[in-house]
Amino acid sequence: ARAHVSRLWLLVLELLVILAISVYLIGLTFGYSPANLLAWLIGVALALLMNDFAIRSPRGVFFVHAKKRFIFPGSWIPLLTILALVVLYYGVRLSQSWQLSWLDWPYAKSLICLLYGVLGGMFLALFMVVLRSQKERSIGTNSVNQVMWTVAKHH
């Protein structure tokens, strides 16, 4: 994965789309019940905690104040997260169509909604790290080439 340069509005759009998809998949899979949505919210909170204390991604994010752009290292996490959402959805739908017994377990729906929340919440966690860099790692335009080289070299 290579270094990327992006604007804030594109990152916000990406975040909103992924969160909306993860909530939409709950509706397609089980319907919108308070228990399902609560499990999703707990999953989002869990993703935020996991990223803050264990994963700590993305590392090496910089904000170019003059150009209002973020520079961050490439990562496989977004691609793998989207892939996991798709695989989880199709796996559950296939299990539903085959009427597999594991879906009758007492907390199966809640666990799946929690996983949708964790996967969607990973994008929120990544976004929060990028936003923090706006205050903590702001650089001038004359440092951009050095930062791009450093980010690309170490990640």
Side-chain angles (χ1 to χ4, degrees):
R2 60 185 176 95
H4 295 281
V5 178
S6 187
R7 292 178 182 246
L8 180 62
W9 70 270
L10 282 172
L11 297 173
V12 169
L13 181 64
E14 176 184 277
L15 169 67
L16 293 176
V17 166
I18 294 299
L19 286 175
I21 287 172
S22 69
V23 171
Y24 180 68
L25 292 177
I26 290 172
L28 285 178
T29 310
F30 303 117
Y32 298 110
S33 73
N36 293 346
L37 294 175
L38 179 62
W40 181 85
L41 282 173
I42 291 170
V44 170
L46 188 61
L48 290 170
L49 289 172
M50 284 184 341
N51 197 46
D52 278 350
F53 295 111
I55 300 170
R56 297 182 180 174
S57 181
R59 294 184 185 133
V61 179
F62 293 92
F63 178 68
V64 183
H65 191 62
K67 295 193 178 254
K68 306 285 189 225
R69 288 193 170 91
F70 295 91
I71 300 173
F72 50 97
S75 174
W76 290 100
I77 291 175
L79 175 66
L80 294 176
T81 301
I82 293 169
L83 184 61
L85 270 172
V86 171
V87 168
L88 178 62
Y89 171 72
Y90 282 109
V92 171
R93 293 301 284 189
L94 192 61
S95 298
Q96 286 175 331
S97 70
W98 289 348
Q99 299 176 350
L100 298 179
S101 62
W102 71 271
L103 287 171
D104 296 330
W105 295 347
Y107 298 107
K109 289 180 183 178
S110 295
L111 179 64
I112 292 165
C113 292
L114 180 98
L115 289 173
Y116 283 140
V118 167
L119 294 171
M122 281 306 298
F123 275 82
L124 179 59
L126 298 173
F127 179 76
M128 298 300 287
V129 171
V130 169
L131 265 188
R132 268 186 243 133
S133 73
Q134 194 170 4
K135 291 182 181 177
E136 297 171 2
R137 300 190 61 152
S138 185
I139 61 171
T141 45
N142 54 349
S143 304
V144 171
N145 287 337
Q146 179 66 28
V147 168
M148 284 293 287
W149 183 83
T150 304
V151 168
K153 179 182 172 195
H154 294 294
H155 291 61

